[in-house]
């Protein structure tokens, strides 16, 4: 990975750009149906661009874009060199803020991401559509909790069937449905 990053003198504006490549000699996966698949040699090349700006004293607005080209090094069939279920790109915008109420701290964040198309089959004949994933999170920390936080996380999907898709073989495709909304409540503790 190689990149550049910078910020203004007060730290109100920050940015980062990087290009990267990863290689694996023996990548393997278990697909949606529990079937083992070996891709052997694979390579991923990507570009990441991100930036944020401080608004007021405790809120950051941010945006980022990632593009990845994921290929099988030695495909069994010529041209069938796509690694399935890797989004070609993801673009996100959002805000993160810290609010204090007395000695209590609230961490708030809201992110909206467009997830680009991804190959379902290695020959790229079948692809998913672009979908939106919106995530909101609220976490409360009190001084007496010694760094422990209670949080609520909510995720909304614009499509219920495109988060993960798989090639069943013979032209049959299946998807792993996800609910339109997903909620999580939890406790985060420092170790």
């Amino acid at each position: 990975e190689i990149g550049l990053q910078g910020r203004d003198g007060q730290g109100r504006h920050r940015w980062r750009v990087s290009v990267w490549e990863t290689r694996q000699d023996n990548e393997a996966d278990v697909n949606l149906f529990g079937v083992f698949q070996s891709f052997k040699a694979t390579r991923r090349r990507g570009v990441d661009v991100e930036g944020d700006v401080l608004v007021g004293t405790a809120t950051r607005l941010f945006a980022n874009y990632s593009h990845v080209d994921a290929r099988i090094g030695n495909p069994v069939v010529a041209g069938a060199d796509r690694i399935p279920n890797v989004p070609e790109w993801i673009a996100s915008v959002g805000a993160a803020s810290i609010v204090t109420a007395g000695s209590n701290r609230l961490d708030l964040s809201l992110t909206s991401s467009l997830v680009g198309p991804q190959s379902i089959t290695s020959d790229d004949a079948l692809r998913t559509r672009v979908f939106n994933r919106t995530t909101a999170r609220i976490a409360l920390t009190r001084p007496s909790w010694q760094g422990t936080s209670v949080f609520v996380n909510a995720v909304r999907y614009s499509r219920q069937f495109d988060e993960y898709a798989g090639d069943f073989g013979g032209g049959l495709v299946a998807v792993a449905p996800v609910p339109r909304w997903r909620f999580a409540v939890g406790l985060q503790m420092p170790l």
Side-chain angles (χ1 to χ4, degrees), residues 14-46:
R14 301 182 302 194
W15 58 271
R16 184 180 76 86
V17 178
S18 66
V19 293
W20 53 270
E21 180 173 319
T22 62
R23 292 179 182 264
Q24 294 188 52
D25 293 332
N26 290 303
E27 183 171 345
D29 191 17
V30 175
N31 70 15
L32 179 67
F33 312 101
V35 177
F36 175 79
Q37 53 189 354
S38 175
F39 302 129
K40 301 203 177 186
T42 59
R43 142 200 67 82
R44 288 171 175 78
R45 291 184 179 149

Side-chain angles (χ1 to χ4, degrees), residues 120-154:
I120 298 173
T121 57
S122 60
D123 64 0
D124 205 29
L126 298 170
R127 299 164 59 78
T128 62
R129 298 175 292 169
V130 175
F131 68 92
N132 176 261
R133 180 175 53 225
T134 303
T135 305
R137 179 180 168 91
I138 299 172
L140 171 66
T141 306
R142 299 180 56 124
S144 61
W145 295 351
Q146 300 177 355
T148 298
S149 299
V150 177
F151 69 87
V152 176
N153 196 62

Side-chain angles (χ1 to χ4, degrees), residues 4-177:
L4 296 170
Q5 63 183 7
R7 64 182 191 145
D8 66 0
Q10 294 79 35
R12 297 187 73 77
H13 302 86
R14 301 182 302 194
W15 58 271
R16 184 180 76 86
V17 178
S18 66
V19 293
W20 53 270
E21 180 173 319
T22 62
R23 292 179 182 264
Q24 294 188 52
D25 293 332
N26 290 303
E27 183 171 345
D29 191 17
V30 175
N31 70 15
L32 179 67
F33 312 101
V35 177
F36 175 79
Q37 53 189 354
S38 175
F39 302 129
K40 301 203 177 186
T42 59
R43 142 200 67 82
R44 288 171 175 78
R45 291 184 179 149
V47 175
D48 298 326
V49 179
E50 61 185 57
D52 64 53
V53 60
L54 182 64
V55 178
T57 59
T59 300
R60 285 210 174 263
L61 302 179
F62 60 86
N64 57 57
Y65 174 81
S66 294
H67 179 84
V68 65
D69 180 44
R71 302 288 179 146
I72 300 168
N74 299 309
V76 175
V77 177
D81 64 346
R82 300 282 182 143
I83 299 173
N85 296 303
V86 177
E88 288 180 11
W89 55 267
I90 298 176
S92 301
V93 296
S97 186
I98 298 169
V99 177
T100 54
S103 59
N104 299 320
R105 173 181 164 153
L106 276 176
D107 291 275
L108 310 167
S109 66
L110 179 65
T111 306
S112 181
S113 299
L114 282 177
V115 179
Q118 49 192 305
S119 298
I120 298 173
T121 57
S122 60
D123 64 0
D124 205 29
L126 298 170
R127 299 164 59 78
T128 62
R129 298 175 292 169
V130 175
F131 68 92
N132 176 261
R133 180 175 53 225
T134 303
T135 305
R137 179 180 168 91
I138 299 172
L140 171 66
T141 306
R142 299 180 56 124
S144 61
W145 295 351
Q146 300 177 355
T148 298
S149 299
V150 177
F151 69 87
V152 176
N153 196 62
V155 180
R156 183 187 184 281
Y157 296 93
S158 64
R159 292 202 170 99
Q160 292 180 285
F161 299 108
D162 284 346
E163 179 74 0
Y164 188 98
D167 179 16
F168 198 61
L172 298 174
V173 172
V175 294

